[in-house]
Amino acid sequence: METVVSGIRSTGKLHLGNYYGALKNFVKMQDEYNCFFFIADLHSLTTHPTPHGLKETVRNVVVEYLAAGLDPEKSTIYVQSDVPEVAELYLYMNMNAYMGELERSTAFKDKVRANPNNVNAGLLTYPVLMACDILIHHGTKVPVGKDQEQHLEMTRTFSNRFNRLYEVDYFKEAFAFTYADKLIKIPGLSGQGKMGKSNGEADCIYLSDAEEVIRKKIMRAVTDAGPTEQNQVKPEAVQNLFDLMNVVSSADTLQHFDGLYNKAEIRYGDFKKQLAEDMVTATSEVRARIQEISQDDAYIAKVLKMGAEKAQASAQKTMKEVREIIGLKKLY
C-alpha cells in the first residue's frame, strides 16, 4: 500500500479553503492509503520563533482534523515535534543540501521579502525539513497545492541525491497527489484571490466560527455597486462570492442569483443573506463536531498518544536503516 504524507502548520485555525481544498480529500485517502497527517509545529517556528499559545493552536488543529472526519484508527495523526527522528533526518539531509538551490527557492524569496528582519537558517532550509517529513515515512503521494510544488521537486532532488551518494535504492520519489482533476479553489471574502489568513481574519470563514460570525463576515464581504447592464462580466470580488455559493449552495440557488446578475437585477443584500445561510448549513455538522471533541481532553490525548507511537515506530525504523547506510554504527 502506498503512503500519503501531509501536514499543516500549527499557526492558526482551519478555514474553508483547508476543508474543501484538502481535508475532504484526506477523508477519502485514509480508506485507500497508509496515511500520515501531522501538525507542523516545528515548521511554524521558522516564522514564529517565539509563538504565543503554540500548545493551544496545535490542539485546535487536532480537534478540527478529527471533526472534519479524519479517523485515528485509519490514519496516523500526530504532532511533528513528537517524532524527534524527523529532526535527526533533517540534520543528515542538510549535509547534502546546497546553499544555492535553497536560496533559489521561490518560497524562501517570498518570505525574505515579507520578513526581512527574520531571515533565519530554518527559513532557508524549510524545504529540507519538508522533505524529511515525507521521507521519514517513505511517502510517495503528497497532497499539496501549486505553491508547494517546487518544494516537492526539491524533495525528489534530496532523496535521489542520498541514493546516489550512498549507492543505494532506498528513498522513493514523492509526487503531488489529489483525487480531483484540479484542486478546489476556495476564494476569500476580501476579493484578493484564494482564502487565506495572510489576507486578514475577515477574509476567512473558519470551521470553528459561530453562526453569527459567519453571517457578519459574509454580509461585510467585498462587492461593487452592482451591474449596470445585462451580461456584464463580474469583477473578481463578486465572482469570488459566486464561487463560494457554487460550493455551499444548491445548483438552483446559484442559477437563480446568476440569472439576476445577468439581468442586472441582483440585490447584493439578498444574495449575501442566502449565501450566509447556506454557509451556516454547510458547516453546521463539522462545527458541532468541533464543539463536541474540544470538550473531551481524554480523547484528544489518546489520539495524540496513539499517533505519536505509530509515527515513531515508522520513523525509528527509517532512521535505523539511514544510520546504517551512512555508516553511523556503534563501535561497542
Side-chain angles (χ1 to χ4, degrees):
M1 182 183 292
E2 288 193 82
T3 297
V4 171
V5 180
S6 185
I8 189 164
R9 284 163 65 97
S10 58
T11 52
K13 300 172 288 187
L14 303 183
H15 53 67
L16 286 188
N18 305 129
Y19 184 56
Y20 286 103
L23 289 177
K24 281 186 170 291
N25 274 342
F26 291 177
V27 173
K28 297 177 185 177
M29 291 172 191
Q30 66 184 354
D31 289 321
E32 299 178 30
Y33 299 98
N34 180 29
C35 293
F36 290 85
F37 299 123
F38 66 94
I39 297 85
D41 55 342
L42 298 180
H43 278 292
S44 71
L45 298 178
T46 59
T47 50
H48 297 78
T50 55
H52 174 70
L54 180 59
K55 180 180 177 181
E56 188 62 27
T57 56
V58 168
R59 185 183 188 276
N60 289 341
V61 174
V62 173
V63 168
E64 290 168 6
Y65 260 175
L66 297 169
L70 294 189
D71 185 343
E73 298 292 338
K74 297 178 180 178
S75 301
T76 301
I77 303 168
Y78 66 100
V79 179
Q80 188 183 30
S81 60
D82 282 345
V83 184
E85 290 78 11
V86 173
E88 183 182 357
L89 182 59
Y90 176 45
L91 172 66
Y92 300 152
M93 297 302 281
N94 268 328
M95 307 301 182
N96 301 318
Y98 304 139
M99 286 285 292
E101 64 190 352
L102 295 173
E103 289 173 339
R104 287 193 296 273
S105 166
T106 302
F108 175 67
K109 293 177 181 178
D110 291 342
K111 292 292 186 182
V112 169
R113 282 192 289 268
N115 301 283
N117 297 321
N118 184 27
V119 184
N120 56 71
L123 199 62
L124 179 67
T125 59
Y126 186 103
V128 184
L129 182 55
M130 177 178 167
C132 293
D133 290 322
I134 298 164
L135 298 176
I136 199 80
H137 302 301
H138 298 274
T140 55
K141 294 182 178 295
V142 186
V144 292
K146 290 196 72 66
D147 59 333
Q148 293 292 326
E149 285 182 352
Q150 186 184 32
H151 284 171
L152 197 52
E153 182 179 345
M154 294 174 77
T155 297
R156 292 191 292 272
T157 296
F158 300 145
S159 62
N160 288 332
R161 185 176 294 154
F162 180 93
N163 290 346
R164 289 195 305 272
L165 185 63
Y166 297 106
E167 299 180 342
V168 292
D169 184 17
Y170 185 67
F171 287 123
K172 299 180 177 65
E173 290 190 329
F175 292 91
F177 171 62
T178 180
Y179 275 102
D181 293 333
K182 186 170 65 173
L183 289 174
I184 297 175
K185 175 190 172 185
I186 302 299
L189 303 178
S190 63
Q192 300 180 51
K194 73 175 184 177
M195 187 172 289
K197 292 184 281 289
S198 60
N199 293 329
E201 289 283 310
D203 188 60
C204 298
I205 299 293
Y206 293 106
L207 300 184
S208 58
D209 278 346
E211 293 182 8
E212 283 309 308
V213 172
I214 293 174
R215 292 187 180 102
K216 286 179 181 178
K217 285 183 177 181
I218 294 293
M219 296 307 294
R220 293 171 181 168
V222 175
T223 53
D224 64 352
T228 55
E229 57 186 55
Q230 293 189 359
N231 298 316
Q232 186 173 316
V233 175
K234 299 181 184 74
E236 182 180 9
V238 174
Q239 183 61 56
N240 281 356
L241 296 181
F242 272 91
D243 289 343
L244 282 174
M245 180 170 277
N246 185 46
V247 173
V248 301
S249 306
S250 69
D252 289 345
T253 298
L254 177 63
Q255 185 177 15
H256 170 71
F257 283 102
D258 196 48
L260 290 176
Y261 187 93
N262 289 334
K263 291 186 288 186
E265 296 175 0
I266 193 168
R267 296 172 57 179
Y268 285 140
D270 295 338
F271 169 66
K272 287 182 176 181
K273 285 179 183 177
Q274 182 65 55
L275 176 59
E277 293 311 310
D278 291 345
M279 187 73 73
V280 166
T281 300
T283 56
S284 61
E285 185 176 345
V286 69
R287 185 166 52 253
R289 287 277 294 153
I290 288 172
Q291 293 171 354
E292 176 189 350
I293 295 170
S294 64
Q295 296 173 15
D296 194 342
D297 290 335
Y299 176 62
I300 296 169
K302 178 182 176 182
V303 167
L304 289 180
K305 184 174 185 296
M306 180 169 63
E309 289 173 352
K310 290 163 66 177
Q312 285 169 0
S314 170
Q316 286 167 2
K317 180 179 183 298
T318 298
M319 290 315 303
K320 180 178 182 296
E321 294 166 351
V322 165
R323 291 186 209 108
E324 290 176 353
I325 291 170
I326 293 176
L328 297 170
K329 302 176 181 179
K330 293 181 179 179
L331 300 177
Y332 58 88

